[in-house]
Amino acid sequence: MDNQQSLFETLNPPQRLLMGPGPINAYPRVHQALSQSLIGQYDPVMTGYMNQVQSLYRGVFQTNNQHTLLVDGTARSGIEAVLVSVLKPGDKVLIPVIGRFGHLLCEIARRVGAEIRTIDIEWGGVCTAEQVEAEIKRFQPKLLATVQGDTSTTMNQPLKEIGEVCHRHGVLFYCDATASIAGNELKVDEWHLDAVSAGLQKCLGGPSGSSPITLSEQCADVINRRKHVEAGIRADHHQEGGDMMIQSNYFDLSMIMDYWGPERLNHHTEATSMLYAARECARLFLEEGIENTIARHKQAGHALAKGLSAMGLRLFGDQTQKMNNVVGVYIPEEVQGDEVRAELLNRFGIEIGTSFGPLHGKIWRIGTMGYNARQDCVLTTLAALEAILIRHRARIDVGQAVCAAMECYR
């Protein structure tokens, strides 16, 4: 080793209140779960935990799907695993784009070689079931892929009616629910969703690094037609799917389903600590209760929005379609948004976000998610933001925000 190379300081990150669009501060019990002892991937205790995770996330997703499991990686890994496993080159996919993350679905589908058609919605709105049905009739896609909660715009795409349309026309329905799950209603079976992927770092209150997914039997059958078993682990009883092999090894859901299935056919080494975290996130959500957790997120988001409005700031987007857990607010014209964010971070230790593309520098995005969907987090953020805006001579209504938010907690 180079004698001049620094070993740097002992890891000691600053304490922050993460009130942006994610990631957020994890629940203390999730931190505790992450610190538990590592065990081998085929230890009966470990495989028992894997079975528990599958059962817990069936509850989180409100599904009976057998193929409910984790993809090791950030939320994007779950998105890519679904799209690369379902779509072959030339397959048609219809994608309503309501914000930045709809464009991400297009990006991944394009890399797969799919034929893409989009329904482009002005940022701040959502897509209707009528728009979807009209395009399905014209385009005849194999898959409809959409984002439920797009944090870039803070909008929450309604899914129930679109699910009915897809079911009626025999189109597979995939949804990225990374930013919406556990903070907004999501009923996988009832809404005819065939594939859903998520992440831990938003309303589930964990760290980024594990992507829970669930697949309907119909979707799993489509994937297993492309099944391929690696030569090094293939046995006589294994059968190939016969259709085109999935182009990714790591994100091959046919192999990942086998790894999580009764045979425990080796694929990767399960990320043990992340599995512990995912398990605890699901336990916390189901322990509090689905309706109670969603109501807590709705209350926190409403209180934040009321406080920002009372301050004289203008909210972004169609407020009848907004996510419970992220508020978009226009940056006052007389201030520099990034300077306010930097001072909020450096003076108060509070992080909020800006946005992407056409909204970059125009709105702030403030999240109330998971462990941070609490009254004290909302009030502290409003008080700190008001103080910074006063320093920057923004034209706001002083002394109103915190009181307005407190009214939501009476």
Side-chain angles (χ1 to χ4, degrees):
M1 187 176 90
D2 186 346
N3 290 332
Q4 301 302 312
Q5 183 176 356
S6 172
L7 295 178
F8 305 108
E9 72 279 4
T10 300
L11 193 65
N12 185 29
Q15 294 294 314
R16 306 291 198 198
L17 177 57
L18 302 179
M19 296 294 287
I24 47 73
N25 301 94
Y27 290 105
R29 275 171 49 182
V30 174
H31 284 289
Q32 185 180 45
L34 279 163
S35 69
Q36 297 302 310
S37 299
L38 300 180
I39 52 179
Q41 63 176 326
Y42 295 118
D43 187 311
V45 176
M46 180 62 176
T47 55
Y49 289 154
M50 292 173 73
N51 290 338
Q52 290 175 7
V53 163
Q54 292 185 282
S55 176
L56 288 164
Y57 277 92
R58 290 184 189 108
V60 172
F61 283 119
Q62 297 189 56
T63 184
N64 292 315
N65 289 341
Q66 176 188 351
H67 302 293
T68 302
L69 45 87
L70 303 178
V71 174
D72 288 346
T74 64
R76 189 174 298 211
S77 71
I79 299 170
E80 186 146 350
V82 171
L83 293 180
V84 77
S85 297
V86 172
L87 295 172
K88 303 190 301 291
D91 280 345
K92 292 181 177 181
V93 56
L94 178 62
I95 303 176
V97 177
I98 66 170
R100 179 259 167 109
F101 294 100
H103 287 295
L104 173 62
L105 300 186
C106 295
E107 165 81 13
I108 296 172
R110 186 172 297 113
R111 289 172 181 263
V112 172
E115 182 182 346
I116 302 162
R117 180 170 295 184
T118 60
I119 303 174
D120 297 305
I121 305 299
E122 183 178 355
W123 287 26
V126 296
C127 186
T128 67
E130 290 76 19
Q131 288 173 295
V132 168
E133 184 158 33
E135 286 302 321
I136 284 177
K137 289 177 178 178
R138 283 191 285 263
F139 187 53
Q140 299 291 306
K142 173 182 182 178
L143 177 73
L144 178 105
T146 193
V147 176
Q148 184 181 28
D150 196 313
T151 56
S152 67
T153 66
T154 74
M155 293 296 105
N156 190 50
Q157 172 63 55
L159 300 176
K160 181 179 179 181
E161 291 78 12
I162 292 176
E164 291 171 354
V165 168
C166 290
H167 184 66
R168 189 163 64 248
H169 290 276
V171 175
L172 291 173
F173 186 17
Y174 161 64
C175 174
D176 164 25
T178 299
S180 54
I181 194 169
N184 304 267
E185 192 174 51
L186 177 66
K187 299 182 178 182
V188 170
D189 287 357
E190 185 178 324
W191 295 351
H192 302 294
L193 286 154
D194 291 291
V196 181
S197 66
L200 305 184
Q201 73 274 19
K202 310 278 186 176
C203 301
L204 281 168
S208 178
S210 184
S211 180
I213 71 167
T214 189
L215 306 169
S216 70
E217 282 300 321
Q218 182 183 4
C219 189
D221 287 345
V222 168
I223 293 168
N224 280 326
R225 289 176 208 152
R226 305 176 67 187
K227 187 182 182 72
H228 168 77
V229 182
E230 295 174 10
I233 57 174
R234 187 184 303 139
D236 291 342
H237 67 279
H238 291 136
Q239 294 184 344
E240 299 286 297
D243 210 337
M244 181 181 180
M245 183 172 64
I246 292 167
Q247 298 295 286
S248 171
N249 177 286
Y250 187 75
F251 293 130
D252 184 331
L253 285 178
S254 70
M255 290 200 288
I256 295 174
M257 285 189 285
D258 278 346
Y259 180 62
W260 281 80
E263 190 174 1
R264 301 290 176 189
L265 192 61
N266 183 256
H267 178 250
H268 61 288
T269 301
E270 180 58 28
T272 309
S273 297
M274 285 307 306
L275 181 134
Y276 295 165
R279 178 179 179 274
E280 195 61 25
C281 287
R283 290 183 70 237
L284 282 158
F285 175 59
L286 296 172
E287 182 181 290
E288 183 176 358
I290 294 174
E291 292 183 1
N292 291 337
T293 311
I294 292 172
R296 174 166 60 85
H297 281 85
K298 186 173 184 178
Q299 182 181 38
H302 180 61
L304 178 65
K306 292 287 285 186
L308 293 168
S309 294
M311 202 186 299
L313 301 181
R314 186 161 59 99
L315 303 181
F316 172 77
D318 182 352
Q319 295 302 295
T320 67
Q321 301 292 350
K322 72 173 291 294
M323 300 165 67
N324 290 332
N325 51 295
V326 187
V327 176
V329 59
Y330 283 99
I331 300 168
E333 292 181 1
E334 60 272 18
V335 306
Q336 293 293 321
D338 286 346
E339 290 181 9
V340 171
R341 289 175 57 235
E343 193 165 349
L344 193 62
L345 184 69
N346 294 329
R347 290 185 181 272
F348 289 92
I350 298 174
E351 179 180 277
I352 64 173
T354 182
S355 192
F356 307 102
L359 296 179
H360 180 74
K362 294 184 179 179
I363 70 169
W364 289 313
R365 296 176 300 151
I366 308 177
T368 53
M369 293 187 269
Y371 184 55
N372 294 347
R374 310 194 316 263
Q375 179 177 187
D376 59 309
C377 295
V378 172
L379 301 184
T380 300
T381 301
L382 287 169
L385 179 60
E386 180 179 286
I388 300 297
L389 288 176
I390 292 170
R391 276 179 50 82
H392 285 252
R393 294 181 170 82
R395 293 188 293 272
I396 61 171
D397 297 324
V398 176
Q400 304 299 315
V402 170
C403 290
M406 287 172 67
E407 287 296 310
C408 299
Y409 284 97
R410 295 182 67 179

